[in-house]
Every structure is written in structure tokens, then in C-alpha cells.
Amino acid sequence: MLDGKRILLVVTGGIAAYKCLEVIRRVRERGGHVRCILTRGGAQFVTPLALGALSEDWVFQDLFSLTDEQEIGHIRLSREADVVLVAPASANVLAKMASGQADDLATTALLATDKPVVVAPAMNPAMWEHPATKANMAVLEERGVHRIGPAEGAMAESGEWGMGRMAEPDAIVAALEGLLGGAQAGLLKDRRALVTSGPTHEAIDPVRFLANRSSGKQGHAVAAALARLGATTTLVSGPTHQPEPAGVNVVHVETAREMLDACLGALPVDVAVMAAAVADWRPADAARAKLKKPAKGGKSAPPSLKLVENPDILATVSGRNEGRPHLVIGFAAETDAVVENAVAKRRAKGCDWLVANDVSAAVGTFGGDDNQVHLITADGVEEWPKVSKLAVAERLAQRIAETLKTA
Ligand code: C5P
């Protein structure tokens, strides 16, 4: 998918720099070419030798290097690429880009380029949350810089946890593919999409809730893939740790009922993809105060939970007479008889397609990065190979685009 594409990779300072080696490898596997600029900070974490060996090209480091300048020159360097990728993008480089500084080769090339720029921020969560970084990022996005990540996770230093991990190489490469897809990028232009993702939380009392193991990875990836093809995309997300996909309008909800309201509010759309793992039931009455055990020594039976059924969002959207999306797609998480159950479910829910996956613990779909699905349509059952959730999302988005083309 990146055949013949030229990526100028700017590596700035950050422990995540090691991941850019994997990015180079994957771009090259897909037929792309990578040329690297390594900043002084970046060189503290990854060597020019490693970048040069993997990219099989010269690694540029110095703005005032006579040999480099005679060889290619910093302006040409920034123009001879199809896209400029900054990964990892430190808080410092984002600040310099936002204010137009050009005091080294990387920032000079970034200021001189006339090509799309993608940044993959990576930094400590406090730095990412800082109003200065937020303002810089907002300025850059407003100017058309594309952002991928960061994601939430453990930080390299001091055992901290939070938003600031660089997006995974797979996600970065998928973003490049989406961006460089050329004609593909506009496949869903003028189309509207609605995607649900993640679990729902159903309150038992103010501190406890019923939930499930959905991570939101698949749903978020579908929303990102549809947006990359040009669809105006609304993502209604239950509580997840996924970063908001770039270019997607995200509505955060907690409960199934809130999710239903948000979905109905997002209509009309051309396609609705319901990837959320909506809780089928909720406690009949959420207690106003925290349920308590009896005081020490006292005895009473544990509280029993009375459950009532939640609205079925997929069936509701599929069953609409007015304003039904042209294409309604459900997801089915099954632990046994996956295909049989999914075929029956497609009919029962009234949706057009159903993406069925095996979520038995042995397969590790929930929370994992890979997915093996069956696509069930009115025409039959297709088995898709086991690939990353991002690749499943890309393929599904392509199919949606093909189908809507004739709609
Ligand atoms: O019935 P089941 O939960 O297996 O169906 C899965 C599909 O139905 C998913 O697409 C899910 O988003 C959707 N669903 C829903 N509302 C519910 C339950 C499931 O939209 N209350």
C-alpha cells in the first residue's frame, strides 16, 4: 500500500525513538522508502547507524553539514518526500513547529516542506496535558498537521501511567497508508458515518458498575479508517483508554441509554457501525448511596441485583423506518458456534452486515491487537484472515466505500 512512497522521518528526542526503527521496517515491507533526519535529542536514543541500516539511506543530522548540503540540501530534502513524519514528536519539536522556529535541520525541513506532515507525539503525561503543549498541538492541527496518538499507557520513567505513549508502529503506518492513499482518501467524501465503540458502564451504586472487557480498539480503528477515507464521522464511545482518533467527532457516554441517545442524535448517516459491547442489562435501580456491608459482627444477606434490559441500539437503528442508514453493521462477540450464532443474530437484529469474532479467552480478542473475523452479509459468510484490528478496520472501511459507491 506504500509502494514507491517516500517518507521523510524526523526522529526527535524521546525513549519512544526505538519504535521508529519498527516504523521504518514496516514502511519498507510495504514498498515505501524512508529517509531520516535525526535531531541531537533523537541521537541520544537511537543511532544514525541503526536508522541508516534499516532505511538503507543516508541519515541527515546537521543543518550546516557541507557534505549533506552539497549532497541534497535541506530544502530539497523536505520537498523530495511524499509525507513528513515526526516520530517521536517531542513537546519541544511541537512547540518549535507551532511557533515556526528553524534552528536545526529537522525544524528547518519542517518549515520548508510543502508536503503533508504527520506527528506522533510522545512525552510524559504532564507535558502532554500542559496547556502550552495543548495550545501548540491545536495550532498545528488547525494548520493541517495530522496527529496520530498519543496513547495511554505506562511511561518509561518513574512508573507513571497516562496519556503520552507514542502510537504503535502499526497505527502510524496505517495512518500513512490512509493519508497517501491518494484517490482513496476521498472515497467516502460527502458521506456521513456513525460508529460506536467500547463498553458501557451501568451503575450499581455511585462507585460500582457493571461493565465488560471491551477495549474500544476495534471500534476506534473503524472510526479512524472511515474518517481517513473522507467520511464525516461521529464516534460514540463508552469509557475506554483509547486516544481520540484524529479527524473524528467523539461523543463520550457511559451507559447504554446515553449511547442510544447519542446515536439517534447523530442520525442521519449513510453508514452505522455498531462495534460497542453494549451491556445487555443494567441494575434496575442504581442505589443513590454506596451499598455497605453490615457493621462488624452484624449479619445480613448480600444485596441481590435486579437487572432490567437495556435498549438494543443496533436493532433500534436497523429498525428505523425513517432515516435508516443505508448500511447498518453490527459486531458480534461470541465464545462458541461463532458463525451459526452470528448468522442468526444478523437476522434478529435487522442489520445488513454482521462482523463476528471469537472472544473466548483463548483467542484473546478483547484487549488484544489482532482480530479474526467473519463477515456475514445477506449473500453469505466470508472468513477474513487473522490480522491487526487496524487492518480489519481498513478492510471494512474499503468494503463500506465500495458498497456506498453504488448506493
Ligand atoms: O446481542 P449482542 O450483544 O451479541 O449483539 C452485538 C451487536 O449488537 C453489536 O453490534 C452491539 O454493538 C449491538 N448491541 C447494541 N445494543 C445492545 C446490545 C448489543 O447495539 N443493547
Side-chain angles (χ1 to χ4, degrees):
M1 285 271 277
L2 289 172
D3 228 3
K5 300 293 183 198
R6 293 160 307 172
I7 286 103
L8 179 64
L9 171 62
V10 177
V11 181
T12 74
I15 187 69
Y18 76 92
K19 288 196 208 168
C20 76
L21 298 174
E22 190 62 22
V23 172
I24 299 175
R25 228 170 50 81
R26 295 193 188 198
V27 168
R28 300 209 59 206
E29 275 168 11
R30 289 163 170 76
H33 181 87
V34 184
R35 179 173 271 169
C36 299
I37 293 180
L38 181 62
T39 66
R40 275 177 56 191
Q44 302 294 321
F45 296 92
V46 67
T47 67
L49 196 61
L51 296 175
L54 287 173
S55 65
E56 291 187 87
D57 200 341
W58 189 250
V59 176
F60 296 82
Q61 289 184 269
D62 188 359
L63 180 57
F64 302 111
S65 153
L66 187 59
T67 40
D68 287 4
E69 278 296 301
Q70 279 173 350
E71 191 78 9
I72 176 159
H74 63 274
I75 303 289
R76 238 179 80 202
L77 188 58
S78 68
R79 304 270 169 88
E80 273 188 3
D82 296 302
V83 64
V84 185
L85 167 66
V86 190
S90 62
N92 184 46
V93 83
L94 295 177
K96 285 183 173 175
M97 287 167 73
S99 62
Q101 290 182 53
D103 62 355
D104 64 1
L105 181 60
T107 46
T108 307
L110 282 160
L111 199 60
T113 191
D114 56 354
K115 296 298 174 355
V117 176
V118 182
V119 296
M123 65 196 74
N124 174 276
M127 294 168 78
W128 176 248
E129 298 297 342
H130 196 287
T133 308
K134 281 192 170 165
N136 290 333
M137 197 62 244
V139 164
L140 292 173
E141 286 188 87
E142 208 171 288
R143 286 187 200 142
V145 169
H146 303 268
R147 170 174 63 84
I148 166 99
E152 188 173 33
M155 292 296 119
E157 71 274 18
S158 63
E160 274 181 66
W161 178 276
M163 202 62 101
R165 272 173 78 93
M166 188 169 93
E168 292 305 319
D170 245 356
I172 294 176
V173 173
L176 293 178
E177 283 178 334
L179 197 67
L180 295 172
Q184 285 197 344
L187 275 182
L188 284 172
K189 200 166 120 330
D190 303 328
R191 296 293 190 177
R192 289 168 55 89
L194 163 67
V195 181
T196 68
S197 183
T200 62
H201 285 183
E202 311 292 339
I204 296 171
D205 68 17
V207 295
R208 303 179 179 96
F209 54 83
L210 292 178
N212 59 64
R213 296 185 193 281
S214 167
S215 64
K217 272 186 191 157
Q218 186 64 81
H220 277 56
V222 170
L226 291 169
R228 280 198 294 272
L229 293 186
T232 304
T233 306
T234 300
L235 170 65
V236 180
S237 172
T240 76
H241 296 302
Q242 300 301 313
E244 292 192 358
V248 170
N249 167 34
V250 186
V251 183
H252 295 278
V253 297
E254 281 216 356
T255 67
R257 287 174 294 171
E258 287 168 7
M259 189 172 272
L260 176 65
D261 287 346
C263 286
L264 296 179
L267 297 180
V269 294
D270 297 286
V271 56
V273 184
M274 304 303 198
V278 185
D280 289 322
W281 305 283
R282 66 175 185 274
D285 300 296
R288 276 175 205 275
K290 185 183 168 192
L291 300 175
K292 288 202 174 61
K293 281 199 293 191
K296 222 173 175 188
K299 276 211 163 52
S300 71
S304 58
L305 279 183
K306 183 167 180 287
L307 300 177
V308 292
E309 205 163 309
N310 264 332
D312 191 310
I313 304 167
L314 177 61
T316 307
V317 171
S318 299
R320 279 175 77 89
N321 290 326
E322 233 173 81
R324 183 191 189 277
H326 182 78
L327 197 55
V328 183
I329 305 170
F331 269 68
E334 303 287 346
T335 53
D336 56 285
V338 175
V339 173
E340 291 82 340
N341 285 334
V343 169
K345 190 164 287 179
R346 191 188 76 87
R347 287 214 194 88
K349 300 262 184 175
C351 58
D352 303 295
W353 300 353
L354 198 90
V355 181
N357 54 6
D358 187 342
V359 294
S360 52
V363 177
T365 299
F366 270 158
D369 288 327
D370 290 343
N371 208 356
Q372 208 254 302
V373 305
H374 288 82
L375 179 68
I376 288 131
T377 70
D379 298 331
V381 178
E382 283 174 34
E383 184 177 344
W384 288 9
K386 182 169 181 174
V387 287
S388 70
K389 288 181 178 174
L390 295 167
V392 169
E394 283 299 332
R395 186 163 170 173
L396 188 64
Q398 293 286 339
R399 278 293 282 273
I400 291 169
E402 276 165 33
T403 305
L404 290 183
K405 207 161 50 185
T406 53

